[in-house]
């Protein structure tokens, strides 16, 4: 057997290698021999992972400063990732998106599920926004960017360093332009007949949430002739989709004035600005005020940020989801619809559904669950990694 020129990390004898062999993509720090040599590895080092009997298991990216010390990249005999290696992964991902969508607006790379652990790439026509949320991707970013331009033909590549994972990996929060020039303003994105304005430089995440696309579409199908309330609206995700679906009015609530301004711009682009109204402020306060005013809507959507971003926050997050449901349910007209969403990795579908039903029940309402949505197919699920199936959208008729 030819010895690998790459460094080696080794599983502890007590750690069973079956999960890695079956496709699990993470190796935790308490599962490997963390001797002085391993601890001295530079974050982002590419190494070979061996089992306790010294049999090669996988090519991994190592970060001794992270709880996830190893991220599986490839088979144990693969070469060190380079531009050609990235190009192969990108072509596979692109072939799926081009089959799914007729315009180049989608998530191109969804981290582990697309074979690039910790990497997010969203595409906006000729612009790609990259979130390298793992140390190895930060180190190899020049090769990744070069392959991205070659495979997709994008002329602008932006690095977004705002991902929560970068802090956990010990990385900086400095955004950058990797290719071309930064857009001079928000970029219009058309989905489900609605127009969204994406701020690729200063907006939340990469500028827009592509993951909710199928749930926006389902909500739009319920919106004909409806009065709609979109809470935690960001740039008007559900509200603008509802207007495209025939809603007579949509009211967006968000804590960000900039996001609400983009929602207004999107409505204007659609010729629907006269049907959109906004409230800037705390969502819980707004829901409480609407309840005190006995306001009524045919469709109410609540799509909050992750209330439970970690296992430690799970119980507090479930209480927050229950509170949202309790405050939102009284605002729904008889036989109207309530949409409740969660993007929390730490809350599974069953627990989230239970919290929502408790809140609806405490509000004195009865519910039919008519649809359960998840992220769109440009956010594929890696079956071995439950965390990659984070988005849940419950559609109730009250």
């Amino acid at each position: 057997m030819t010895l690998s020129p790459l460094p080696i990390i080794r599983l502890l004898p007590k750690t069973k290698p079956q999960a890695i062999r079956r496709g699990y993509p993470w190796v935790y720090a308490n599962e490997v021999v963390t001797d002085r040599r391993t601890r001295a590895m530079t974050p982002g080092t590419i190494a070979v992972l061996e089992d306790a009997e010294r049999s090669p298991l996988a090519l991994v990216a190592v970060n001794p400063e992270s709880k996830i010390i190893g991220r599986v990249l490839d088979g144990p005999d693969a070469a060190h990732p380079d531009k050609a290696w990235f190009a192969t992964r990108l072509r596979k991902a692109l072939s799926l998106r081009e089959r799914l969508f007729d315009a180049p607006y989608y998530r191109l790379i969804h981290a582990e599920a697309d074979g690039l652990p910790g990497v997010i790439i969203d595409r906006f026509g000729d612009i790609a926004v990259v979130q390298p949320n793992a140390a190895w991707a930060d180190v190899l970013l020049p090769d990744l960017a070069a392959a991205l331009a070659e495979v997709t033909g994008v002329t602008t590549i932006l690095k977004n360093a705002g991902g929560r994972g970068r802090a956990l990996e010990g990385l900086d929060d400095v955004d950058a332009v990797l290719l071309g020039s930064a857009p001079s303003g928000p970029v219009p994105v058309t989905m489900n007949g609605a127009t969204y304005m994406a701020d690729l430089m200063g907006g939340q995440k990469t500028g827009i949430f592509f993951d909710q696309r199928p749930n926006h579409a389902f909500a739009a199908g319920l919106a004909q002739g409806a009065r709609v309330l979109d809470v935690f609206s960001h740039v008007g995700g559900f509200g603008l989709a509802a207007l495209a679906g025939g809603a007579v009015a949509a009211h967006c609530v968000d804590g960000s004035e900039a996001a609400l301004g983009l929602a207004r711009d999107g409505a204007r682009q659609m010729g629907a600005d006269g049907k959109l109204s906004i409230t800037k402020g705390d969502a819980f306060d707004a829901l409480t005020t609407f309840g005190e005013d006995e306001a009524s809507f045919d469709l109410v959507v609540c799509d909050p940020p992750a209330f439970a971003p970690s296992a430690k926050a799970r119980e507090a997050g479930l209480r927050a989801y229950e509170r949202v449901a309790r405050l939102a349910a009284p605002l729904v007209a008889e036989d109207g619809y309530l949409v409740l969403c969660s993007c929390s990795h730490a809350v599974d579908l069953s627990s989230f559904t239970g919290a929502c039903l408790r809140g609806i029940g405490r509000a004195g309402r009865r519910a039919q669950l008519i649809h359960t949505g998840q992220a769109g197919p440009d956010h594929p699920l890696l079956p071995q990694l439950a965390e990659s199936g984070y988005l849940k959208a419950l559609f109730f008729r009250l």
Side-chain angles (χ1 to χ4, degrees):
M1 182 179 69
T2 303
L3 294 177
S4 170
L6 298 173
I8 291 169
I9 64 171
R10 187 170 295 119
L11 294 178
L12 290 166
K14 67 177 182 178
T15 305
K16 297 181 179 180
Q18 287 91 330
I20 299 297
R21 290 196 176 105
R22 294 169 185 163
Y24 191 73
W26 294 347
V27 184
Y28 293 98
N30 62 359
E31 297 176 327
V32 303
V33 178
T34 49
D35 54 19
R36 184 167 56 186
R37 177 186 55 81
T38 301
R39 290 193 298 271
M41 287 185 181
T42 302
T45 295
I46 306 301
V48 173
L49 173 70
E50 294 183 344
D51 63 19
E53 281 71 46
R54 300 178 183 266
S55 294
L57 289 173
L59 189 76
V60 296
V62 179
N63 185 351
E65 298 177 9
S66 172
K67 288 183 179 180
I68 303 174
I69 195 171
R71 297 175 185 268
V72 175
L73 301 179
D74 212 330
D77 297 326
H80 192 292
D82 56 12
K83 178 183 172 183
W85 185 91
F86 280 113
T88 298
R89 295 288 198 279
L90 290 164
R91 286 192 188 97
K92 284 181 179 292
L94 182 63
S95 67
L96 172 64
R97 277 67 178 185
E98 289 184 333
R99 184 175 289 269
L100 293 170
F101 304 107
D102 58 6
Y105 295 88
Y106 41 68
R107 173 149 295 181
L108 174 62
I109 292 292
H110 191 52
E112 281 77 0
D114 280 304
L116 295 179
V119 178
I120 298 297
I121 302 178
D122 283 348
R123 184 173 182 183
F124 302 85
D126 292 333
I127 304 172
V129 181
V130 181
Q131 280 193 332
N133 295 326
W136 78 277
D138 222 43
V139 171
L140 298 178
L141 193 54
D143 279 341
L144 171 56
L148 179 59
E150 177 185 285
V151 170
T152 64
V154 295
T155 54
T156 297
I157 300 177
L158 308 176
K159 172 193 170 186
N160 180 297
R164 177 174 172 267
R166 288 184 64 82
L168 298 176
E169 288 275 302
L171 302 173
D172 65 55
D173 59 356
V174 180
D175 295 341
V177 178
L178 305 178
L179 177 69
S181 55
S184 57
V187 174
V189 178
T190 300
M191 293 189 292
N192 300 314
T195 300
Y196 300 98
M197 303 305 294
D199 182 356
L200 306 187
M201 297 301 294
Q204 201 172 344
K205 301 288 186 177
T206 62
I208 206 168
F209 298 103
F210 285 126
D211 54 358
Q212 286 282 23
R213 182 178 350 217
N215 301 317
H216 290 162
F218 195 91
L222 303 174
Q224 181 67 41
R227 297 157 296 141
V228 177
L229 176 63
D230 180 4
V231 187
F232 307 97
S233 67
H234 190 227
V235 298
F238 281 94
L240 296 183
L243 290 176
V248 296
H251 190 94
C252 288
V253 178
D254 200 86
S256 167
E257 184 143 4
L260 290 171
L262 292 171
R264 279 199 184 280
D265 292 343
R268 193 173 299 117
Q269 291 257 355
M270 296 165 57
D273 47 325
K275 297 180 181 179
L276 181 74
S277 54
I278 62 172
T279 294
K280 178 192 176 298
D282 178 79
F284 290 101
D285 291 344
L287 287 169
T288 300
T289 299
F290 281 126
E292 292 170 348
D293 293 343
E294 298 184 351
S296 178
F297 301 88
D298 305 298
L299 172 62
V300 175
V301 183
C302 296
D303 182 18
F307 286 148
S310 65
K312 191 179 296 185
R314 182 177 182 275
E315 294 308 314
L318 286 171
R319 289 192 296 272
Y321 289 124
E322 180 180 335
R323 185 183 176 204
V324 168
R326 177 176 58 82
L327 292 173
L331 307 180
V332 181
E334 182 74 11
D335 297 329
Y337 302 94
L338 174 62
V339 184
L340 300 171
C341 305
S342 167
C343 59
S344 293
H345 298 271
V347 172
D348 61 88
L349 177 61
S350 177
S351 300
F352 177 59
T353 303
C356 293
L357 289 173
R358 286 193 298 274
I360 292 170
R362 288 181 63 194
R365 301 299 299 271
R366 295 182 62 188
Q368 297 169 300
L369 179 59
I370 63 169
H371 179 66
T372 300
Q374 59 186 15
D378 55 340
H379 293 63
L381 171 68
L382 182 67
Q384 297 89 342
L385 187 66
E387 290 89 339
S388 62
Y390 63 97
L391 185 64
K392 300 156 283 283
L394 302 179
F395 290 75
F396 297 99
R397 183 172 183 254
L398 302 193

